[in-house]
Amino acid sequence: MPVHLSLCARGFSGGGRSMILAILFCFALGCQEVEGESDQWADAGLNWEDEAAADAGDAGPDPSGDVGGDEDDSDVGGDGEESDGEEPADSNTGEEEDSQGSEGEEEEAFDGGDTEDTEPGEVVEEPVEDEEDSDEIDENDEIDENEGSDESEDDENGDGDGEDSEDDSADDGEDSSSVDPMAFLGESDTRAMWLWDETPNLQQILNNTGGAQTTLLNFMAAPHGQPDRAINRLFFEGRGYADVDPFSQIRPIDFDPLLDQNERPALRSFIGNAKQQGVAVEYLDGQAIWLASDANAQVAKQVCDDVVSFNESTASLDERFDGVHLDIEPHTVQSGPYAWVWWENRLPNGYNADWSERFENILTHCRQALDDYENSTGHKMTFSIDVGADYAYYNQPLRQFLNTSDSPVDYLTIMNYYDNSPNQNGDPSYFYGESDGNAVVGGVIQNLAMWTELPLLFGMETGPPQIAPAEASFYDNGYTVMYGVIDQLVQDYGSTKAIGVGIHHYSPDSYKDMQP
């Protein structure tokens, strides 16, 4: 048989891709006997025996090769690396991927020698499309074999399509018993933020009214455009209260996603969105007059029970609060029917005996509620409270109750509200505190020395003058000065029990709106 007809016959017998290529060459050459034609075909880089062998193994690359799961990443997220470091072939060109070795090179040599572009209506178009479809199936088959376990996890999460996504990956990373919820207590890079039901309010954030939730999440990811300052812990007031005088009466609940079945999904969704970008969410609540009567104290205890109830209502850890954070502040009650009671009937080196007892009872109850929850679900929640920068110095009974190895709280947040301007001794106030007329109290150094058994998060005030005096807030100083103080805290005290900072608060006219 003449050389070129023998080659045509080999191409037909190979089937699949080889047959198509054979048809193209035979038509191009007219199947004429040309002396030395075999050498010309060899020079063109066409080895029909290799093509036939490649077609025989056209089930796709070996899933046990080096490609592994990276190919899946390149399909779903665009982040996967090619096995040989080269750019992937454009799916619209019909070229093979580099991972198919010499076969892809042979096709490129053929395409380069082709003198005509085929039109969509020509008979050869359909086989070329079939070839691409076959490649896509082969790649998907490889993904299925390599990523079987991921597909199972997706199905369990309700996706049902067996495909990975960035959101699913983030969920899997958070919703895992291997994540230690207490690890941050041994580190120094906590960057927390208070968020009260103010402006925007809770409903606007949960419903993303006017983009309120999107704005919040974006700000936490890169405060003032600085991702290295990203918030990683949020104290979130997850209930709406009526606007009443908080020093005169217990605030009535007017929006309750903790217990309202119709509102719970929105709260769960928000918590999940925050966790996807690495933000732990603690439920925030508090009222100073919780300590004024036994009935008021029961309201505080019920808050902890309600947070537990909310968490138990969903199977996903990604939709649960990571902790409870109480802000009680009895020292602020300076008006209304309970004004100045905190300073009456005082314990030795302490404050009001009845209020102090109720304070301890609230903390004990909440600790027990969270422990019972952990025992029944296996999910550990943190419990923390805010205390004044001078509590360690002036309130010895409370310090003795809290500052123990079996303390009811996991950590304390010190409301260390000084703008770091020089105090009366010429020392930076954020670290050394301020004089109250009798002694210099507060500051990082004194609190670390006195709270010896507990991790400490140091608060920073960012409210304007109508919220906080200028010497207590960084609002007028700007966030550049505040960030410098944060850096100094981490650098100089990162090896102590200082675990980072908490910034009070998001908005309005506070952290979000600060100037450089």
Side-chain angles (χ1 to χ4, degrees), residues 26-44:
C26 289
F27 274 109
L29 298 176
C31 290
Q32 298 176 3
E33 294 185 27
V34 180
E35 190 67 21
E37 194 168 7
S38 176
D39 293 336
Q40 296 174 2
W41 285 47
D43 292 340

Side-chain angles (χ1 to χ4, degrees), residues 406-456:
D406 59 347
S407 175
V409 298
D410 296 300
Y411 69 97
L412 289 176
T413 298
I414 308 298
M415 294 181 287
N416 200 53
Y417 295 162
Y418 310 104
D419 69 349
N420 208 39
S421 58
N423 63 17
Q424 290 81 348
N425 297 329
D427 298 317
S429 57
Y430 192 81
F431 296 94
Y432 288 87
E434 285 277 8
S435 173
D436 67 353
N438 298 317
V440 175
V441 297
V444 170
I445 297 172
Q446 184 180 93
N447 276 281
L448 285 172
M450 301 188 80
W451 295 108
T452 57
E453 299 296 325
L454 289 169
L456 302 181

Side-chain angles (χ1 to χ4, degrees), residues 417-419 461-465 468-477 504:
Y417 295 162
Y418 310 104
D419 69 349
E461 179 62 77
T462 64
E471 65 273 13
S473 173
F474 285 94
Y475 187 81
D476 290 337
N477 305 77
H504 187 270

Side-chain angles (χ1 to χ4, degrees), residues 70-82:
D70 291 341
E71 188 171 59
D72 178 48
D73 291 338
S74 66
D75 289 337
V76 299
D79 296 330
E81 298 179 359
E82 293 297 309

Side-chain angles (χ1 to χ4, degrees), residues 69 72-73 76 139-165 168-169 172:
D72 178 48
D73 291 338
V76 299
E139 291 170 3
N140 290 336
D141 288 343
E142 181 186 6
I143 293 168
D144 290 342
E145 293 178 29
N146 283 311
E147 302 297 329
S149 59
D150 291 343
E151 180 178 333
S152 299
E153 292 175 7
D154 289 340
D155 291 341
E156 289 175 4
N157 290 333
D159 297 340
D161 56 9
E163 294 180 3
D164 290 332
S165 68
D168 292 339
S169 176
D172 292 343

